[in-house]
Amino acid sequence: FDPIRNEDPMEIRVSKPWIRGLWELVRRVAEKRGLPRPDEIRLHAQTVAHVFEEDDGRKVLVVGGLALASFSRKGLAGVIAHELGHFHAGDTHLLRISAKWLRLMGTLDWRFAMDRLSIFNLFAWVLRGYNYLFRAAWFANSRAAEFDADEHEIEHVGPEQSASTSI
């Protein structure tokens, strides 16, 4: 039940005027694809790009310095379309809610697996079965949301550009 830390030491908060061009590109991609816009854009030292929602519901797009430096404008637009597609699919909100439960269920599952006597505990069997079903449903939903985001990227920049930036 520990809170999930929102601070990432590799994340860089930059004022809007400093990344005006990136904000403009995100706005154009969002308008063209009919996708929700982020409330904040941050830079990152390691990731290519990712999105998340904060506890207060603010949508955050994080773009990596490597993506900014090495991708063409079209490639970067495709990555942005993909990430904004995650907001559209709603999996960023679900991720915040389910992450705590995934951690809790994983910890309980591990503890029952380590206890030899839990093989005789009906509650442990039920809980471990529920954990398995919860994870299967979560991963299936996550996969569907990833395919939805990929579709936004492909429709925005084409299959060749999407394939080269997705790798």
Side-chain angles (χ1 to χ4, degrees):
F1 289 105
D2 293 336
I4 296 174
R5 292 187 306 170
N6 292 332
E7 300 88 31
D8 182 348
M10 295 293 183
E11 214 171 77
I12 306 162
R13 293 178 188 235
V14 181
S15 67
K16 200 170 183 175
W18 283 28
I19 52 173
R20 185 177 35 246
L22 182 58
W23 273 100
E24 181 60 27
L25 180 62
V26 170
R27 184 192 62 76
R28 276 191 258 139
V29 169
E31 284 178 2
K32 185 173 182 180
R33 300 286 329 132
L35 297 169
R37 284 194 257 176
D39 298 311
E40 186 177 352
I41 297 175
R42 299 177 188 167
L43 302 180
H44 201 280
Q46 290 181 325
T47 190
V48 172
H50 64 271
V51 291
F52 64 91
E53 279 188 45
E54 292 187 326
D55 291 333
D56 61 0
R58 288 177 45 86
K59 293 174 173 56
V60 179
L61 168 65
V62 181
V63 180
L66 181 64
L68 289 172
S70 62
F71 288 172
S72 66
R73 190 171 186 81
K74 183 178 179 182
L76 187 58
V79 169
I80 290 168
H82 174 93
E83 296 304 331
L84 296 182
H86 284 292
F87 287 141
H88 180 263
D91 61 322
T92 54
H93 179 68
L94 182 63
L95 179 65
R96 299 300 287 177
I97 294 170
S98 62
K100 294 176 185 179
W101 292 109
L102 281 169
R103 263 187 6 189
L104 174 65
M105 295 299 292
T107 301
L108 287 173
D109 187 47
W110 177 80
R111 289 195 183 254
F112 283 132
M114 294 293 110
D115 183 7
R116 291 184 184 185
L117 295 177
S118 71
I119 196 168
F120 302 110
N121 185 344
L122 180 62
F123 177 71
W125 281 96
V126 170
L127 194 65
R128 292 185 79 194
Y130 176 78
N131 181 36
Y132 175 78
L133 293 175
F134 182 84
R135 285 182 179 275
W138 187 83
F139 284 119
N141 182 64
S142 178
R143 182 176 182 214
E146 196 64 39
F147 283 143
D148 183 49
D150 287 342
E151 198 172 299
H152 285 289
E153 181 177 5
I154 291 167
E155 289 176 5
H156 189 71
V157 295
E160 293 83 14
Q161 180 66 56
S162 177
S164 67
T165 55
S166 293
I167 290 174

